[in-house]
Amino acid sequence: MARVRFRDHAGSIRNGTWMSSGEITFGGETYDPESVDVLPPCEPTKIVCVGLNYANHAAEEGMDVPDRPLLFLKPPNAVSGHGDTVTLPAGKETVEHEVELGVVIGEQCRNVDAADADDVIAGYTVANDISNRDDQRVEQNWVRGKAFDNSCPLGPVLADPQDVPTNADVELRVNGEVRQSSNTEEFIFSVPELVEEITRYMTLEEGDVIITGTPAGVDALEDGDHVAVEIEGIGILEHDVAR
């Protein structure tokens, strides 16, 4: 089952089901996704991001594969949703896309063993970690590079864990052209390993998101681009880009 947050025709925020037929249902009513505002599937207090979790992406960035997960944060202002238009930072030449599997946390948790990670995961979503390389490459903490407004589209749904394969295909297309294509079997650190490592240092709250790294193929976005980000078992997150 895929759960979806949306704003209905009266402006009320609803938690519905995105059916395999392509329709949204809530309270006995059926909605066309094109006729409502599809919202991000959760409201995180923080997004914990994993860098260089695919060896081929580390190689294209000219960096070594890390011996422990490389972690950084995106704040709540970075969240945007399916169907939104992301405004790229002004005056920046290289702002790139990154398809990522998003892990949505279902309960407050701390010091979770990898073997128990499934107990704290509410489901999975699709993420695009949009990255301002101009600043990322010259700053240590990546605030300008990673934390700008709307830099983390999430959605369109929250998929139940059993519906998402352990080895899921991931793909990102820009204006119909495939830019990134891989599979989560290429992870250096698995989802349970990431949950264990992150909760060793910080408390995760219900609705927080872990985005799990991107494969090779990152490239620049331009004004007017249409981005489609797809993960097997979840669906397709679509958004536009403007300068």
Side-chain angles (χ1 to χ4, degrees):
M1 182 179 70
R3 289 159 281 174
V4 58
R5 293 177 65 245
F6 68 99
R7 184 176 290 105
D8 68 12
H9 306 132
S12 299
I13 295 177
R14 305 298 191 187
N15 292 288
T17 302
W18 195 307
M19 308 298 291
S20 58
S21 62
E23 297 173 318
I24 294 173
T25 62
F26 171 80
E29 299 287 335
T30 300
Y31 301 85
D32 179 349
E34 297 294 328
S35 71
V36 298
D37 293 328
V38 176
L39 302 174
C42 55
E43 297 181 278
T45 68
K46 55 189 168 294
I47 303 161
V48 186
C49 312
V50 182
L52 304 181
N53 202 26
Y54 290 78
N56 58 8
H57 177 53
E60 76 175 347
E61 294 295 313
M63 301 179 72
D64 294 332
V65 172
D67 58 6
R68 66 174 184 169
L70 172 62
L71 303 179
F72 59 95
L73 297 173
K74 282 180 178 272
N77 65 282
V79 174
S80 54
H82 177 75
D84 287 351
T85 296
V86 176
T87 301
L88 304 182
K92 306 303 176 183
E93 292 187 2
T94 306
V95 183
E96 296 185 331
H97 54 72
E98 296 189 5
V99 54
E100 307 208 11
L101 174 70
V103 182
V104 181
I105 299 301
E107 62 185 64
Q108 187 183 75
C109 57
R110 179 83 154 86
N111 289 321
V112 179
D113 289 337
D116 299 323
D118 287 348
D119 295 342
V120 302
I121 294 173
Y124 295 96
T125 195
V126 181
N128 185 6
D129 175 18
I130 301 176
S131 302
N132 160 22
R133 304 297 190 201
D134 288 17
D135 285 314
Q136 183 185 355
R137 288 169 176 154
V138 296
E139 65 179 1
Q140 283 190 319
N141 296 319
W142 296 0
V143 173
R144 298 171 185 83
K146 293 284 192 175
F148 58 91
D149 285 351
N150 308 127
S151 62
C152 191
L154 297 171
V157 300
L158 177 64
D160 283 356
Q162 65 264 27
D163 294 333
V164 181
T166 302
N167 298 330
D169 290 332
V170 301
E171 185 172 280
L172 184 143
R173 302 178 292 274
V174 177
N175 304 324
E177 173 194 357
V178 175
R179 295 273 188 89
Q180 294 181 274
S181 183
S182 190
N183 189 286
T184 57
E185 68 179 352
E186 301 297 329
F187 279 169
I188 297 167
F189 303 103
S190 69
V191 169
E193 290 173 319
L194 294 174
V195 171
E196 179 175 271
E197 176 71 9
I198 291 164
T199 61
R200 182 180 300 166
Y201 294 92
M202 70 183 77
T203 300
L204 294 179
E205 306 289 345
E206 180 180 358
D208 283 353
V209 181
I210 300 169
I211 60 173
T212 52
T214 197
V218 300
D219 204 351
L221 294 166
E222 301 296 341
D223 181 55
D225 280 346
H226 178 77
V227 182
V229 194
E230 183 171 6
I231 297 181
E232 183 181 3
I234 304 174
I236 304 174
L237 166 68
E238 297 187 64
H239 68 84
D240 295 322
V241 170
R243 284 195 181 275

